[in-house]
Amino acid sequence: MTFQALLVEKGADGAVSAAIQELDDSRLPDGDVTVAVEYSTLNYKDGLCINGKGGLVRTFPHVPGVDFAGTVEASDDPRYRPGDRVVLTGWRVGEVWWGGYATRARVKADWLVPLPDTLSTRQAMAIGTAGLTSMLSVIALEKAGLSPLKGDVLVTGAAGGVGSVGVALLARLGYSVAAVTGRPETADYLKSLGAETIVGRNELSEASSKPLESERWAGAIDAVGGEMLGRVLKQMKYDGAVASVGLAEGAAVPSFTVIPFLLRGVSLLGIDSVMRPYDQRVDAWNRIASDLPMDKLESMVVEHRLSDLPELANSILDGKVKGRVVVDVRA
């Protein structure tokens, strides 16, 4: 048997290329469960892997795709049977393990999560790692004491995948959401997801020498990092919390001090979705199924084929992708 995949290869000169190829099943990695993949999606990591950047892919040839959803074809693990619908995110699949940019994948059973009955495989990939990360952020903020009565919640990088789902989730849960974007043309899109206020990126991206600024935000989901994270932390209300999920602007926060932690009791919550334990994943997916407005989700989605991915990989690295890209690997 064979399957179709986007195969990334490195030439003798070190140049990396990606092309659709027909591969024999014998090339699939070892694993407990074989899945007929129906949909995947596009994350920033996928853009890096397709272009051979960031050192994420160590062994070539390689099949990227950090997320996928589909139906079990064969299983050596009693938890899964042929016909079961499953979703996979994280565990460095698509980086060190062949991933979802293929019509067939073989993985460890521990990495899979049963798909909630109310979600389709397409919806699962409209959500993907980005949506799971957003839900984990909301759960962490709730555990830190955030509630709609405490005030506005900020979402940075709001037009991206994590931000878009975060805005829609928070708005559905009754929060007043302020969305940060550097692309004014996305304002209407963000308001359609539930954002009440649009904040220009330039308002938060410049360094500030002040250890604290006026209190503005009860909570925040930050996908940007860098100076913006520093500014957000300085503007948090007393006992506020920030869920840190990304570093699009950089990992360092040069002008930041510990003063917000000491004088306002601010919490900085690290959100990892890659190695998240199974039970927490199940809880998060069940929360997504109940809390994420599916009409809002659909408004974020642009659907593509495997053959579109090399060009899309460049677009996401350049910050030109809005919302959620769903990839029908069978098309």
Side-chain angles (χ1 to χ4, degrees):
M1 295 179 65
T2 63
F3 64 100
Q4 194 175 67
L6 180 72
L7 194 69
V8 178
E9 299 180 284
K10 179 181 282 190
D13 60 354
V16 173
S17 61
I20 305 296
Q21 295 193 32
E22 195 78 19
L23 304 177
D24 190 87
D25 275 11
S26 62
R27 298 189 65 176
L28 287 168
D30 293 335
D32 308 310
V33 184
T34 302
V35 179
V37 180
E38 296 167 15
Y39 292 97
S40 186
T41 185
L42 179 70
N43 297 288
Y44 192 84
K45 281 185 178 181
D46 295 313
L48 293 173
C49 291
I50 291 172
N51 285 287
K53 296 181 178 180
L56 298 180
V57 179
R58 306 292 178 84
T59 305
F60 295 88
H62 180 71
V63 176
V66 303
D67 299 343
F68 67 76
T71 303
V72 172
E73 282 192 339
S75 175
D76 296 325
D77 188 287
R79 288 172 290 179
Y80 296 103
R81 297 178 297 177
D84 288 349
R85 298 181 316 125
V86 291
V87 59
L88 182 145
T89 62
W91 299 109
R92 302 205 69 191
V93 171
E95 300 174 47
V96 300
W97 195 275
W98 279 23
Y101 289 164
T103 54
R104 190 170 287 119
R106 186 173 293 143
V107 295
K108 295 182 179 180
D110 289 342
W111 298 344
L112 295 168
V113 174
L115 193 60
D117 291 340
T118 56
L119 293 178
S120 68
T121 52
R122 184 179 184 276
Q123 287 172 325
M125 286 299 96
I127 296 161
T129 285
L132 177 65
T133 303
S134 296
M135 189 72 254
L136 291 170
S137 299
V138 171
I139 292 171
L141 290 170
E142 290 173 344
K143 288 181 178 178
L146 183 65
S147 72
L149 297 177
K150 290 195 171 182
D152 295 348
V153 179
L154 188 74
V155 178
T156 70
V162 175
S164 293
V165 179
V167 169
L169 274 171
L170 288 165
R172 173 67 174 270
L173 292 170
Y175 291 91
S176 174
V177 182
V180 182
T181 181
R183 294 178 279 174
E185 67 276 10
T186 64
D188 289 343
Y189 163 73
L190 292 169
K191 288 181 179 179
S192 75
L193 298 181
E196 293 187 12
T197 307
I198 304 299
V199 179
R201 182 170 57 197
N202 60 336
E203 292 186 39
L204 293 171
S205 59
E206 293 183 5
S208 169
S209 60
K210 297 179 180 179
L212 288 173
E213 298 182 35
S214 298
E215 297 183 43
R216 299 180 67 183
W217 320 114
I221 297 176
D222 175 58
V224 176
E227 288 290 1
M228 187 173 293
L229 175 57
R231 292 290 302 279
V232 171
L233 286 164
K234 294 175 184 181
Q235 296 177 6
M236 297 304 296
K237 291 184 175 184
Y238 189 86
D239 205 27
V242 179
S244 176
V245 304
L247 40 63
E249 191 177 283
V253 189
S255 65
F256 180 67
T257 72
V258 297
I259 297 301
F261 304 140
L262 303 180
L263 298 187
R264 288 185 183 163
V266 172
S267 299
L268 180 60
L269 311 171
I271 306 299
D272 167 63
S273 63
V274 176
M275 309 302 289
R276 185 70 59 156
Y278 173 83
D279 58 342
Q280 295 180 30
R281 290 173 184 268
V282 171
D283 289 344
W285 278 102
N286 287 335
R287 280 286 305 272
I288 288 169
S290 64
D291 294 347
L292 181 61
M294 292 303 151
D295 58 331
K296 303 296 186 185
L297 178 68
E298 187 58 34
S299 72
M300 305 175 200
V301 172
V302 179
E303 190 168 316
H304 285 276
R305 301 175 297 178
L306 274 180
S307 57
D308 298 327
L309 283 167
E311 182 177 350
L312 288 169
N314 294 323
S315 295
I316 198 167
L317 295 183
D318 292 338
K320 296 179 180 178
V321 170
K322 181 183 76 173
R324 301 292 297 132
V325 172
V326 170
V327 181
D328 186 343
V329 302
R330 305 160 298 178

